[in-house]
Amino acid sequence: MIHTQEGVPTSSSKWAADLYHLKELHARKYTTEKLLILSGSNSLFGIYTPALENAYGIPTTNFGVHAGLGLRYILDRSKRVLNSGDIVYLPLEYALYQDSKIPSSQLMDFLIARDPYYFRTLPVQERLLGYTNLPISRIVEGLRGGNDRYQGQSAKLYNVANVDESGNQLQHSVSPQMSNRGQLATLKAKDIADGHLTRHSQLVLSEYFAWARKNSICVIGGPPNLLDDPEYHSARFDEFFDVVLDFYSSNDVPFAGHPRSYLLPIDLFFDTEYHLNAKGIKLRTELTISHLGEDPRSLCGRYDA
């Protein structure tokens, strides 16, 4: 029943599918050196790439889409647009360091509707476990022939029409005056479980680093922007941040900046703990440039194949 839905579009997968189409078109224009910003939506709602292009003279694509698609898919999707000599800046959301190999409901929805070939490359056990995450409403939508239209109130913001050609959220769509302060005030600190990286995330990242080395692609880690909370200043989070930094160091991958520097106040956010408003995007972009230094290529020397 679900197999027959492969390639049938859904409204819930349209935003991410449209974003990938736009961002891949931009990234593929540059067959020589480029800078790719790779993460979930914290970069989409957090970095303005023309500022990086002006600072470094390197074509830059904001490849941030949606953390719900999972670490492995986010990294694998980037391989389709990367070439020898490229630089990947990797400010991953913290949940991606504690990811599971079982496909989430968001990833299952997306793969079945928009990338069934990739879905068929997953191990059979993972596909079967992923099926259990699909809500009945999603299955019914597929059986009824799908839907390739934006729907609902959220589509006013989460719409490719609000993204420029290099993959950045348009400033007017996230003006500070439109920020949802009431919603932001209810958000709690992110859960870090036992404070360790999952085996799955370690394996996926290590494999990606090895693939990048083999293809002469530089990877630079970095922190995501995140709404500050007193919990993030606890010893528990200090240890977690150290675990993340130590993982990059143990893989001989540079990491630009410290997680604490990207814990930002509520007036800089728009609608979630990872989504900045226009004022926040400007500050976070400047912060990123300051930590990448005068030339990010100087961080790549230790990462040559």
Side-chain angles (χ1 to χ4, degrees):
M1 179 173 66
I2 297 176
H3 177 72
T4 62
Q5 298 185 35
E6 290 186 5
V8 177
T10 57
S11 57
S12 51
S13 63
K14 181 172 177 57
W15 176 64
D18 285 353
L19 288 183
Y20 271 129
H21 177 71
L22 179 150
K23 292 165 185 263
E24 288 176 346
L25 282 177
H26 186 266
R28 286 181 175 136
K29 289 196 301 184
Y30 307 102
T31 56
T32 55
E33 183 183 54
K34 66 176 172 287
L35 174 61
L36 196 80
I37 313 299
L38 182 60
S39 72
S41 60
N42 92 85
S43 292
L44 170 63
F45 288 84
I47 293 180
Y48 184 60
T49 59
L52 278 77
E53 290 189 359
N54 290 337
Y56 303 127
I58 307 172
T60 305
T61 301
N62 189 329
F63 214 69
V65 176
H66 181 24
L69 296 177
L71 179 63
R72 179 168 53 190
Y73 187 74
I74 288 170
L75 298 181
D76 283 349
R77 187 77 184 228
S78 75
K79 295 176 182 179
R80 303 180 189 182
V81 300
L82 288 168
N83 304 299
S84 176
D86 287 346
I87 302 170
V88 175
Y89 176 59
L90 197 64
L92 296 172
E93 287 81 356
Y94 293 119
L96 295 176
Y97 292 110
Q98 299 181 317
D99 208 9
S100 167
K101 66 180 180 181
I102 302 173
S104 67
S105 59
Q106 297 101 318
L107 180 58
M108 285 293 293
D109 172 35
F110 183 85
L111 293 183
I112 293 172
R114 308 289 179 169
D115 201 350
Y117 174 79
Y118 183 92
F119 176 66
R120 291 192 292 269
T121 68
L122 297 178
V124 173
Q125 183 183 20
E126 291 182 26
R127 280 182 276 163
L128 292 174
L129 290 170
Y131 285 138
T132 66
N133 281 332
L134 275 178
I136 296 297
S137 58
R138 163 61 180 84
I139 298 172
V140 170
E141 182 179 357
L143 290 173
R144 289 177 174 173
N147 185 341
D148 198 28
R149 299 186 301 274
Y150 287 103
Q151 290 188 324
Q153 187 70 19
S154 64
K156 293 182 179 180
L157 175 65
Y158 296 96
N159 190 309
V160 74
N162 291 323
V163 178
D164 68 23
E165 66 172 353
S166 57
N168 308 288
Q169 189 76 15
L170 293 173
Q171 304 286 295
H172 70 78
S173 70
V174 288
S175 69
Q177 293 74 22
M178 295 163 57
S179 296
N180 193 336
R181 288 292 294 269
Q183 177 175 306
L184 291 168
T186 67
L187 298 175
K188 306 299 182 184
K190 306 302 289 183
D191 180 24
I192 54 167
D194 63 0
H196 295 288
L197 278 63
T198 60
R199 177 60 184 157
H200 173 73
S201 291
Q202 292 184 56
L203 181 61
V204 169
L205 279 166
S206 295
E207 289 177 347
Y208 186 74
F209 297 155
W211 172 86
R213 270 195 197 91
K214 182 179 179 181
N215 290 277
S216 299
I217 294 165
C218 170
V219 178
I220 302 170
N225 44 257
L226 181 61
L227 177 61
D228 201 1
D229 186 281
E231 177 67 13
Y232 299 143
H233 300 269
S234 66
R236 182 166 170 261
F237 268 86
D238 278 342
E239 293 173 4
F240 175 66
F241 292 150
D242 286 343
V243 167
V244 172
L245 294 172
D246 288 345
F247 177 76
Y248 279 86
S249 179
S250 67
N251 280 274
D252 200 28
V253 176
F255 195 94
H258 190 279
R260 286 207 177 284
S261 301
Y262 291 76
L263 298 174
L264 303 176
I266 193 170
D267 65 295
L268 298 180
F269 286 80
F270 188 75
D271 66 337
T272 81
E273 61 267 53
Y274 278 123
H275 294 176
L276 294 169
N277 58 35
K279 182 181 176 182
I281 291 171
K282 182 176 184 296
L283 186 147
R284 189 270 173 98
T285 300
E286 293 170 350
L287 196 59
T288 298
I289 292 171
S290 72
H291 287 136
L292 286 174
E294 293 184 2
D295 187 346
R297 287 164 290 205
S298 66
L299 299 174
C300 300
R302 55 187 286 208
Y303 203 68
D304 292 338

